[in-house]
Structure formats: C-alpha cells, structure tokens
C-alpha cells in the first residue's frame, strides 16, 4: 500500500486505460476521484466496487474535460472532499479518423479541447496545491502518436505531440518543487476506443475483427501484442513511487517497440 494517504484524480476513468490506472492506484491505497462519461448505474457500481475492493475512499465527478470550468470545479471538489490532490492522471481522450482535407471542424475542435486543452487546464488547476505541499505526480496519457504520426489522425497526433511538449514544460517549471510530470505513450491497448476503430475497419473492408486486430498490430508494433490497462496502471504506480523521484519530463513508451523502428 505504497500510496496510502495520497489522493489521485484520474480523468476518463470510467473505461479502458483510465479505469486500469484508477484500479492500480486504488490497490496501492490511494483515495480516488473518478471521472468520465457513462451510465449512472454502471458508474456507481464501479465506484462502490472499487471502494470495497481497495478499502479506499472513491468519489466521482461528471466533469466534461472539454470544458475548462468543469475541470477547475472537479479539482476544487477533489481538494474539498479529500483534503488534497496529490496525483493527477490526465487520461480522458477521444479519437476520429479522416484525411486532413476531409477532417470535420467539429471533430478537430473536440479532440483539441479534450486531448490537448483538457491536459493543460488539468495541470493548471492542480499545480498550486501540489507546489504548496511540496509533493505531486502528474501523469499525462499521451500515445505513440505523441512521438510519431499515422495517416488520418491529424487532430489526435497534433494533440498528443502537444501533450508531450507541455509535459516537458511543466516538468522543468516544477523540477525543484517535489512534483514530477511525465507522459505515458502507449501503443495499441485493446479498449473501447480501439475496439471501435477495429469494428469500423472490419466493416469497411468486409473482413472479421481478428484479421483487423492482427493487421493493426503488424502495421505498427514489432511485438504482436496489445498492452493492457493493467500494465499501463503498473507504470503509473511506478511513476508515483520513490524509485521514480527523478524521472520527470519523460515520454515513456509502452508500445511493443512501435517507436523503436
Ligand atoms: P476509452 O474510450 O476506453 O476511455 C476514454 C475515457 O475518457 C472514458 O472514461 C470516457 O468516458 C472518457 N471521456 C471521453 N471524453 C470525455 C470528456 N469530454 N470528459 C470526461 N471524460 C471523457 O479510451 P482509452 O483507449 O482507454 O483511452 C484513454 C487514453 O489513452 C486516451 O487519452 C487515449 O488517447 C490514450 N491512448 C489509448 C491507446 C489505445 O490503444 N487504447 C493508445 C495510446 C493512447
């Protein structure tokens, strides 16, 4: 229980990678503020289940990460109900694929608002409290697409490269305040976000999902394996540990060799 007494807020933790990270931080004893969309009963099940499983306090905020005022209110609510915010994981993210010349304006704006500006406003709201305590961990979930590009993902790649950049800026500013700021850059993780891309591609190509899964992996990763939300969670736990005290400003790949090529 290395994180007992710490308070963690994980954005987009009702599904996929965020849920895996929240579970991992909770298992180490951190109190949790969950966030994300979904059916109210499903979210309450998750919240109550985690409270029981981990023996920690678990709250939920319905903040829309595309809205700066919601983010500020969520951070304030976390600090009020738990007494502090020690660990911020900026994870909420969305995807849309189309060529540059066909990319819809509203999808561009939505992806930039959630995947890029949401990370900025999250850090801005959380940093003063962390600085005051002299301890904090900020973990931004970027992507292999924060380091290299793929076609048809212009907004996502722009946002994730931006996340890696702002992670470095914040890390430098906070270097002597006990606060580390890092970016995790996953390759393929089989979550609802990727499942939808697989289903769309299988439909478009008139093929089955297993074929598309293999093609997705073979196209990008030397290692033909999806990473799991549990593995991303384990990396987040490590970044919160004393062993990671001097790791800051780093984009950390967990991608089966994707960007090694
Ligand atoms: P997911 O769709 O399973 O989960 C996304 C979560 O974000 C959900 O909880 C959803 O409710 C929440 N969310 C979406 N928009 C929101 C908003 N406006 N306000 C609040 N919450 C919102 O996706 P995932 O695959 O778990 O992705 C999580 C993060 O990991 C994203 O930033 C994504 O870009 C990144 N990532 C995913 C992969 C992958 O292969 N799955 C790879 C690299 C990076």
């Amino acid at each position: 229980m290395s994180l007992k007494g710490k308070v963690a807020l994980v954005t987009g933790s009702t599904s996929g990678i965020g849920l895996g990270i929240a579970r991992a931080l909770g298992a180490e004893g951190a109190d949790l503020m969950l966030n994300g969309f979904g059916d109210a009963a499903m979210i309450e099940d998750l919240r109550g289940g985690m409270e029981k499983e981990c023996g920690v306090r678990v709250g939920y905020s319905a903040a829309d990460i595309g809205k700066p005022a919601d983010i500020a209110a969520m951070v304030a609510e976390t600090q009020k109900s738990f007494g502090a915010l020690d660990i911020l994981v900026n994870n909420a993210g969305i995807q849309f694929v189309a060529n540059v010349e066909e990319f819809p304006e509203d999808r561009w704006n939505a992806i930039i608002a959630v995947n890029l500006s949401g990370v900025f406003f999250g850090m801005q709201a959380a940093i003063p409290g962390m600085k005051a305590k002299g301890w904090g961990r900020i973990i931004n979930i970027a992507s292999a697409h924060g380091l290299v590009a793929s076609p048809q993902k212009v907004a996502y790649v722009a946002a994730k490269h931006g996340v890696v950049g702002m992670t470095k800026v914040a890390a430098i500013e906070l270097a002597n305040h006990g606060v580390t700021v890092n970016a995790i850059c996953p390759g393929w993780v089989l979550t609802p976000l990727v499942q939808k891309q697989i289903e769309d591609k299988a439909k478009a190509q008139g093929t089955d999902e297993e074929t598309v899964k293999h093609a997705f992996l073979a196209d990008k990763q030397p290692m033909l394996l999806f990473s799991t939300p549990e593995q991303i969670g384990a990396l987040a736990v490590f970044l919160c540990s004393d062993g990671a005290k001097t790791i800051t400003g780093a984009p950390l790949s967990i991608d089966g060799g994707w960007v090694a090529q």
Side-chain angles (χ1 to χ4, degrees):
M1 297 291 255
S2 60
L3 298 176
K4 205 158 177 49
K6 303 287 190 210
V7 178
L9 163 59
V10 185
T11 70
S13 45
T14 53
S15 167
I17 292 172
L19 181 55
I21 293 173
R23 283 212 166 99
L25 296 175
E28 288 298 324
D31 288 326
L32 297 169
M33 182 62 102
L34 303 178
N35 158 257
F37 299 146
D39 172 68
M42 176 279 282
I43 292 172
E44 181 47 29
D45 273 359
L46 271 183
R47 198 201 60 73
M50 250 186 250
E51 227 167 31
K52 252 194 222 144
E53 268 166 48
C54 305
V56 298
R57 291 187 297 161
V58 184
Y60 166 73
S61 161
D64 180 344
I65 301 305
K67 297 184 178 157
D70 275 26
I71 297 172
M74 172 180 66
V75 169
E77 188 193 335
T78 307
Q79 290 164 332
K80 191 163 170 244
S81 31
F82 293 105
L85 172 55
D86 305 297
I87 299 164
L88 171 65
V89 183
N90 287 305
N91 165 80
I94 51 176
Q95 176 63 284
F96 188 84
V97 295
N99 287 332
V100 173
E101 71 270 28
E102 287 141 14
F103 213 88
E105 184 180 335
D106 72 319
R107 288 299 85 204
W108 169 269
N109 288 333
I111 290 177
I112 296 302
V114 176
N115 296 17
L116 181 66
S117 303
V119 177
F120 166 70
F121 288 112
M123 294 202 296
Q124 190 173 61
I127 284 170
M130 293 179 177
K131 255 173 133 171
K133 273 185 90 171
W135 196 93
R137 294 287 181 268
I138 297 174
I139 301 171
N140 297 324
I141 306 305
S143 167
H145 286 117
L147 303 169
V148 295
S150 294
Q152 302 199 308
K153 295 189 174 175
V154 64
Y156 190 85
V157 168
K160 295 299 188 180
H161 274 66
V163 168
V164 170
M166 75 172 90
T167 297
K168 294 176 183 175
V169 173
I172 295 166
E173 290 180 6
L174 295 167
N176 293 302
H177 291 277
V179 182
T180 69
V181 189
N182 291 291
I184 294 182
C185 299
W188 289 121
V189 186
L190 195 51
T191 65
L193 180 138
V194 167
Q195 181 61 30
K196 181 170 181 320
Q197 294 174 57
I198 290 168
E199 286 165 15
D200 290 349
K201 194 69 132 201
K203 214 181 282 167
Q205 295 183 339
T207 180
D208 62 280
E209 289 180 19
E210 284 314 305
T211 306
V212 175
K213 277 184 198 168
H214 180 80
F216 270 28
L217 289 169
D219 182 35
K220 298 292 184 189
Q221 296 192 186
M223 191 182 285
L224 299 174
L225 282 178
F226 288 94
S227 298
T228 65
E230 290 74 19
Q231 287 158 348
I232 316 284
L235 179 52
V237 166
F238 173 66
L239 286 173
C240 294
S241 74
D242 260 2
K245 197 173 181 171
T246 57
I247 300 179
T248 199
L252 297 157
S253 292
I254 172 163
D255 67 358
W258 182 326
V259 306
Q261 300 168 99

